[in-house]
Amino acid sequence: MHTGFLRSRMMLPRFSQLFVPAAAIVLLMAAAPPVQANTAANFQRDLVEILECRATPATRQAVTTALRGARYGAPQARPAHLQGWGFTRSGDGEDTTTLIDMPDALSVHGIPTYRLLADDMGFSIPVDAIQRARIVSENGLRLRASTLREPFQLWSAPAAAGNTSLPGSVVVSSDHDGYRVGCDYPGPMRDARVPARLREAATAGDIGAALACRADDAAMQRIANLWERVSEMSPLAWPDNVRAVAEREYHANGQEIPVMVVTLDQPVALKGLPAQSLVLAYGGYLAADMGDAPLKAVLDVTDLGAADLQEEGYWMREVTREASSGYTRVRAFSVIPTESGAVLAGCMTSDVRSAD
């Protein structure tokens, strides 16, 4: 699901065996010709600018090209300021990260590090939970989380706060038992993050109409775009109103209902009642978890009564019926009380074969 540095889940080895003793570094720098020392200092400065989201496109390109050459070229052909740098590949297939170990430490966001992580999203550094909390607070980042395949967290700037004076924006993500901090820079990678066919996102009005079984085909396509983006893509590609995605099971009348739940930053309205969690189940069921709303309140606003009560213990009323070649598509509005006390309200879609 997650691409680039958002998907990598490797255990970071301890750094102690990789360190070059500080005294040795001082001696090496003292013995280096002034031009080499200046080149090394400039390169480190540029790398810190990239990691702190302050770098220009030209700087990013120059540093990336230099490190790529050091990674894949002959060690003896490396420039002096990249001698002693170690490059190790981690991961398989698309989920690959290059671990870059440096003989001298960088200070990024006030954090000293001897290690960089490089992948198709760019560069990042490992941080611990305390450092992560500080960076999140200082940059006003918000949490987005997914548990569809494994627990994953990402902190990024809200879209409304994207007009910063910095060229890029800080991004923090979970990384197995730790975290990493890097940048989201504008450019081809960001532009290609969401395929053109999925860029039209569902509005609150689209979702409300779909929950009430009243959405047209265009609105349903926008909702399908939303589901694909949150289930298959990095949180950086999610619609801005999405906060979290998770798999969950509801239980009703002794039956288990496995669903995907999308939690929104801002609620949508169903018949005037706010709902902050959307529920999608296989087989054509789109609903809202009505949160603290009691069952009676949901039934009252949706105008369902005794005539709509089904044997299975939920309420349902047919809304539309569309005949097509060989089958009839039926959309029915339903309210389902669950064993946990939550109330699900939304639209069930089913295809019924037409009689020969």
Side-chain angles (χ1 to χ4, degrees), residues 189-211:
M189 282 191 211
R190 182 187 288 179
D191 294 341
R193 186 177 296 148
V194 181
R197 63 184 178 82
L198 299 179
R199 289 176 187 166
E200 193 173 7
T203 66
D206 291 337
I207 296 170
L211 292 172

Side-chain angles (χ1 to χ4, degrees), residues 97-130:
T97 297
T98 298
L99 314 181
I100 305 175
D101 295 300
M102 302 171 291
D104 199 4
L106 294 178
S107 180
V108 181
H109 297 292
I111 301 166
T113 183
Y114 286 84
R115 168 159 285 185
L116 303 179
L117 311 171
D119 53 29
D120 59 0
M121 278 297 296
F123 300 105
S124 56
I125 66 167
V127 294
D128 61 29
I130 295 175

Side-chain angles (χ1 to χ4, degrees), residues 192-269:
R193 186 177 296 148
V194 181
R197 63 184 178 82
L198 299 179
R199 289 176 187 166
E200 193 173 7
T203 66
D206 291 337
I207 296 170
L211 292 172
C213 301
R214 298 292 186 187
D216 59 21
D217 290 345
M220 292 305 297
Q221 181 58 59
R222 290 190 289 270
I223 291 171
N225 294 349
L226 181 152
W227 290 120
E228 186 168 347
R229 285 170 62 172
V230 300
S231 62
E232 298 296 333
M233 297 181 184
S234 149
L236 287 174
W238 289 356
D240 193 55
N241 194 30
V242 176
R243 178 194 306 167
V245 184
E247 290 179 322
R248 182 176 172 183
E249 293 177 350
Y250 289 90
H251 295 82
N253 194 34
Q255 299 295 313
E256 183 179 278
I257 310 173
V259 298
M260 184 169 74
V261 178
V262 175
T263 303
L264 304 174
D265 273 328
Q266 300 297 325
V268 296

Side-chain angles (χ1 to χ4, degrees), residues 78 109 114-115 127 137 141 150 154 185 246 336 340 344 348:
R78 292 180 186 174
H109 297 292
Y114 286 84
R115 168 159 285 185
V127 294
S137 175
L141 308 183
E150 57 184 303
L154 179 144
Y185 280 103
I336 303 175
S340 66
L344 304 181
M348 292 182 176

Side-chain angles (χ1 to χ4, degrees), residues 289-346:
D289 183 327
M290 301 309 297
D292 296 331
L295 174 61
K296 183 178 184 305
V298 177
L299 292 173
D300 286 346
V301 300
T302 57
D303 198 29
L304 295 181
D308 307 302
L309 181 61
Q310 309 297 305
E311 292 181 4
E312 296 85 353
Y314 64 89
W315 286 258
M316 185 172 69
R317 178 184 297 168
E318 183 177 317
V319 177
T320 64
R321 180 177 289 259
E322 301 172 2
S324 186
S325 176
Y327 68 91
T328 300
R329 174 160 294 170
V330 178
R331 290 190 176 91
F333 182 77
S334 66
V335 172
I336 303 175
T338 68
E339 294 175 8
S340 66
V343 178
L344 304 181

